[in-house]
Amino acid sequence: MPKPKVSSVLNVQMKGCWHKFKSYWKQLPIEGRGSIAVCIPLICLIGTVVAYTVLRQRMVESQNYVDHTNEVLNQSKGSLISILNAETGVRGYFIGRDKALLESYNLALKTLNPTLLGLEQLVKENPVQLQRARLLTQVANYRMNLLRQSVSRVNAGESGTAEVTRARLLNGKQAMDRFRQVISEFEAEEYRLLDLRIRDLQQQQQLNADAMWCGIAIGIIGTILAIRILQELATELRERDIRLRESRNQVEAIVGNIVDGVMVIDPKGKIESFNYAAVKMFGYQPNEVMGWHWRQLLDREAEDTRKLLDYEPDLISKAPPIGQIWQAMGQRKNGELFPIEVSMNSIAFDDDRIAIVRDITDRQQTAAKLQAKAIELAQLNNSLNASNYSLRQTNSELDRFAYITAHDLKAPLRAIASLSEWVEEDLGDSMSEETRSQMQLLRRRVYRMQALLNSLLEYSRAGRTQSPIVTVDVGRSIEKIIQTLAPPDTFSIHITTPMPTFDTRWRPLEQVLTHLIDNAIRHHPTKAGIVEISAIDLGDRYEFSIFDNGDGIEPQFQTRIYTIFQTLKARDLQENIGAGLAIVKKIVTSEGGTIELESMPGKGAIFRFTWLKQPLTIDASTTSPEPRSKTSC
């Protein structure tokens, strides 16, 4: 796919920012937006003045740099002129012997050193130029010493040979050339600095002019923007005023038709309007109560009314709390008293209050009836509690009866089985094969009867035993169940999905899993069957599936399998009590789950049942504690 262009992405981002800004701007109060509009030109003016001041200061600094460089050049030129005048005066004196010609020399003696010292002071911030200025001072002093020596010799009347004179002139010329070279380098650097500083000054002047024009433009734009904002605010205020008038008209229309009595009260507590519902409630016409204090409609002697009137000054002078309702007694025109509810609210115009009055006579009558019903329900509840207690006692007795009955019935059965074995042992070889077969059939019936009694007892307790809630690792528990069932080695049992770990009643879940896995193993037509166990998370519950590749179940029999003691094959062909799936369904439904079967003949069967992650709260009246094991007799 082609990548989006950077410009289009930036446009989208800018539009998003602009929409956010507009939304935030609309949320600001009008006073805030008006203040911002007024401040925009002022901010532009202040910004312009500050920018001009800063740039002006920089321009002055640049001008000072230029003036400083010019002063340095003037000083350097003055020192050169002084030393040239001194040299000219000394040469004239040497030729003419006229001391008047030494005037320029004497002047140079007085001014040259201060000039050079001033030059050093001017360039002290520039190390390179300062070094050159000091070199100028040294060369100038050397040249002045030569001139001083020449003047001294002339004054002393000394005259040397032409060679000596030529050597002295050569030394003076070399010193003067050296001075010119140093001052030339010095002035070249200063002229370079002067050029840079003049250009910087020109840039600052141009920048200052540009800033002035930019400030003027920004000020004009800011003024236009402020005018635009103020125009928008004026339009918004007009629209608000129109909406406010419409809202007031709507409020008046609503107040006129509302089912509750509504009074508009001014800040002094006097009635300004009185709707139709209030007219029907109190019996006064609006023109009769206009200007009354609203408390004149109340029975001031009632206790609830006195509580309201104690709080009444705060209701009138301050914004009342939203949703606060007071009860009081109203008084009709004919003097009849009736209970009312009063709520006071500030409204969107002026400083008025809206008092909403509701006649609660019917509600109090209904409350009295409800109170009578509540007393009746409390009595019924006591009766139900007594019935529940009796039911718990009955359930407990039934549990004991079922256990004792099963225990007492199994004892004779065990005795019958034992007697048949003793008879068979006593008769020994004299017993015919037919009699021996009958004895074995008798014992099988006895064992079947014992299994029926055990299944009946387990079914009666299914879903009713109080089992503790524990943290269960279902995967490890299924492995223990498989080891307990001990399927044939040729049987393949797989856990195909990760099993959950959660808090639940483990004993009922263990019974369900044990019955379903055992059912898949025992009813498989071969000893090499396959059983697959899986689980999925359905949010508030888990769904467990047990699949086997056995013969499956015909559709017409799939509803019968959950009926206790119902078997699909005759018990003589396959020993089976027919209670396991009935117990499974009873446990699953009592725990808030469902169970379903998906099966086709010859294609195996899948039992799916759901189990809540959060166990249901079991009613103690319908449950019994898990039985304690007893030693059989």
Side-chain angles (χ1 to χ4, degrees):
M1 292 178 63
K3 293 184 179 180
K5 294 183 178 179
V6 176
S7 59
S8 62
V9 174
L10 291 175
N11 289 335
V12 171
Q13 292 178 349
M14 290 177 65
K15 287 180 181 179
C17 294
W18 174 247
H19 287 310
K20 289 181 181 178
F21 173 76
K22 286 179 67 178
S23 176
Y24 175 74
W25 176 256
K26 290 294 183 182
Q27 292 175 1
L28 291 176
I30 290 180
E31 297 84 356
R33 284 182 276 169
S35 300
I36 292 174
V38 172
C39 290
I40 288 175
L42 181 61
I43 292 172
C44 293
L45 177 62
I46 294 173
T48 302
V49 172
V50 170
Y52 176 78
T53 303
V54 172
L55 293 175
R56 179 67 182 173
Q57 181 64 31
R58 291 182 179 178
M59 188 177 69
V60 169
E61 291 176 358
S62 298
Q63 183 64 54
N64 290 336
Y65 283 137
V66 171
D67 294 341
H68 177 271
T69 305
N70 285 327
E71 185 178 359
V72 170
L73 289 172
N74 290 333
Q75 289 284 79
S76 65
K77 291 181 184 298
S79 62
L80 177 62
I81 291 172
S82 294
I83 200 167
L84 287 175
N85 289 337
E87 186 174 2
T88 302
V90 170
R91 287 182 179 179
Y93 178 67
F94 182 76
I95 295 172
R97 309 291 180 171
D98 185 0
K99 290 189 176 182
L101 297 175
L102 292 176
E103 182 178 356
S104 59
Y105 167 74
N106 294 327
L107 181 62
L109 288 177
K110 295 178 181 179
T111 62
L112 183 59
N113 280 335
T115 300
L116 292 174
L117 290 175
L119 187 63
E120 291 180 11
Q121 192 66 26
L122 289 173
V123 297
K124 64 181 180 178
E125 302 297 333
N126 189 337
V128 175
Q129 289 295 84
L130 179 61
Q131 184 177 0
R132 288 172 179 163
R134 288 174 179 171
L135 183 59
L136 277 176
T137 302
Q138 293 176 1
V139 174
N141 289 334
Y142 177 70
R143 180 55 182 157
M144 290 301 294
N145 287 332
L146 291 178
L147 292 176
R148 190 179 297 110
Q149 292 174 5
S150 298
V151 170
S152 297
R153 291 189 185 92
V154 172
N155 290 335
E158 294 181 4
S159 58
T161 63
E163 291 181 0
V164 172
T165 300
R166 194 180 305 111
R168 289 174 179 172
L169 291 174
L170 180 60
N171 290 336
K173 182 177 182 305
Q174 289 177 347
M176 195 60 189
D177 290 342
R178 177 60 177 162
F179 183 81
R180 285 193 178 94
Q181 179 185 357
V182 174
I183 203 168
S184 176
E185 293 175 355
F186 181 85
E187 289 183 350
E189 177 63 18
E190 288 300 320
Y191 277 118
R192 186 185 69 81
L193 293 175
L194 178 62
D195 182 60
L196 292 176
R197 289 168 179 173
I198 288 174
R199 279 187 288 177
D200 183 61
L201 176 61
Q202 291 172 348
Q203 289 177 357
Q204 291 294 335
Q205 290 173 341
Q206 183 63 40
L207 185 61
N208 197 15
D210 294 342
M212 284 296 297
W213 286 111
C214 184
I216 293 171
I218 292 174
I220 293 172
I221 293 172
T223 303
I224 294 172
L225 180 60
I227 293 172
R228 177 62 178 168
I229 293 173
L230 292 174
Q231 288 175 344
E232 289 182 354
L233 293 179
T235 302
E236 186 174 346
L237 286 174
R238 286 194 297 270
E239 292 175 352
R240 283 194 179 186
D241 185 56
I242 293 171
R243 288 197 299 269
L244 184 59
R245 288 197 296 269
E246 292 176 350
S247 298
R248 184 159 189 151
N249 293 335
Q250 291 177 357
V251 169
E252 291 175 353
I254 293 171
V255 166
N257 295 280
I258 199 169
V259 295
D260 291 330
V262 178
M263 296 177 288
V264 177
I265 301 172
D266 68 11
K268 295 182 180 180
K270 294 183 178 181
I271 299 173
E272 292 185 344
S273 69
F274 206 65
N275 75 334
Y276 178 70
V279 171
K280 291 181 62 179
M281 190 182 300
F282 289 96
Y284 294 100
Q285 294 299 319
N287 57 349
E288 294 181 89
V289 296
M290 291 302 177
W292 282 17
H293 199 285
W294 73 286
R295 70 178 68 166
Q296 292 178 246
L297 299 174
L298 306 176
D299 174 29
R300 304 183 189 182
E301 300 301 324
E303 183 179 355
D304 289 339
T305 305
R306 288 199 299 270
K307 292 179 181 178
L308 173 60
L309 294 180
D310 289 340
Y311 197 75
E312 188 254 358
D314 289 336
L315 288 177
I316 300 300
S317 61
K318 300 178 181 178
I322 297 174
Q324 182 69 50
I325 297 175
W326 291 267
Q327 288 190 356
M329 291 299 293
Q331 187 171 16
R332 294 188 172 97
K333 186 176 181 179
N334 59 8
E336 181 185 351
L337 302 179
F338 63 103
I340 60 173
E341 278 185 349
V342 180
S343 63
M344 193 80 68
N345 295 285
S346 59
I347 55 180
F349 42 84
D350 304 329
D351 294 321
D352 294 342
R353 298 285 184 267
I354 286 183
I356 301 175
V357 182
R358 178 172 295 175
D359 186 348
I360 59 172
T361 303
D362 293 339
R363 194 172 74 186
Q364 286 191 349
Q365 293 174 352
T366 303
K369 294 178 182 179
L370 289 175
Q371 181 66 23
K373 289 291 184 184
I375 294 173
E376 184 180 351
L377 286 173
Q379 294 173 349
L380 288 173
N381 187 47
N382 291 334
S383 177
L384 285 174
N385 287 335
S387 298
N388 284 334
Y389 177 77
S390 176
L391 180 60
R392 286 196 295 270
Q393 294 294 329
T394 302
N395 283 335
S396 179
E397 291 175 1
L398 285 174
D399 285 337
R400 287 196 296 273
F401 173 78
Y403 181 77
I404 293 171
T405 301
H407 181 271
D408 292 345
L409 287 176
K410 285 189 288 185
L413 291 174
R414 286 195 297 271
I416 292 171
S418 298
L419 287 173
S420 68
E421 290 176 354
W422 295 342
V423 169
E424 189 173 354
E425 290 176 0
D426 292 340
L427 294 177
D429 296 336
S430 63
M431 182 182 291
S432 65
E433 289 299 326
E434 182 180 358
T435 303
R436 192 181 302 278
S437 175
Q438 294 295 334
M439 288 294 183
Q440 292 175 355
L441 180 61
L442 173 65
R443 285 195 293 273
R444 284 200 297 272
R445 294 294 187 270
V446 168
Y447 297 148
R448 181 185 299 171
M449 189 63 185
Q450 289 179 338
L452 286 171
L453 289 172
N454 290 332
S455 298
L456 182 62
L457 185 61
E458 184 178 2
Y459 182 79
S460 67
R461 287 174 172 163
R464 295 179 55 246
T465 56
Q466 295 179 352
S467 179
I469 297 175
V470 296
T471 301
V472 177
D473 184 344
V474 181
R476 293 183 61 185
S477 300
I478 290 176
E479 291 175 358
K480 292 180 181 178
I481 291 171
I482 295 170
Q483 291 176 0
T484 302
L485 294 175
D489 294 337
T490 55
F491 224 90
S492 177
I493 302 178
H494 302 288
I495 299 176
T496 60
T497 61
M499 289 292 129
T501 299
F502 66 111
D503 294 339
T504 188
R505 295 183 184 88
W506 168 235
R507 178 56 185 162
L509 181 58
E510 181 188 33
Q511 287 179 276
V512 172
L513 291 170
T514 301
H515 278 296
L516 292 177
I517 297 172
D518 181 58
N519 194 64
I521 295 172
R522 285 194 300 108
H523 295 287
H524 201 279
T526 68
K527 297 297 183 182
I530 297 175
V531 176
E532 294 180 351
I533 306 169
S534 61
I536 58 174
D537 191 340
L538 298 180
D540 64 337
R541 64 193 64 204
Y542 293 105
E543 182 183 83
F544 296 93
S545 300
I546 291 87
F547 163 78
D548 69 84
N549 65 341
D551 291 336
I553 301 173
E554 296 285 347
Q556 63 269 24
F557 299 134
Q558 291 182 7
T559 57
R560 290 175 50 191
I561 60 175
Y562 300 113
T563 304
I564 190 168
F565 302 145
Q566 287 289 328
T567 60
L568 300 182
K569 294 181 180 179
R571 290 187 177 91
D572 292 335
L573 298 177
Q574 182 177 15
E575 189 63 36
N576 184 23
I577 301 302
L581 292 179
I583 294 171
V584 166
K585 184 171 184 180
K586 189 175 180 183
I587 294 174
V588 169
T589 54
S590 67
E591 293 291 334
T594 59
I595 185 168
E596 61 180 14
L597 168 64
E598 180 182 333
S599 177
M600 290 294 291
K603 295 184 178 180
I606 302 176
F607 281 95
R608 293 189 178 93
F609 71 93
T610 60
W611 200 267
L612 293 177
K613 293 181 179 179
Q614 185 67 34
L616 293 176
T617 301
I618 299 177
D619 187 357
S621 65
T622 61
T623 60
S624 60
E626 291 189 1
R628 291 175 294 178
S629 60
K630 293 185 178 180
T631 305
S632 301
C633 296

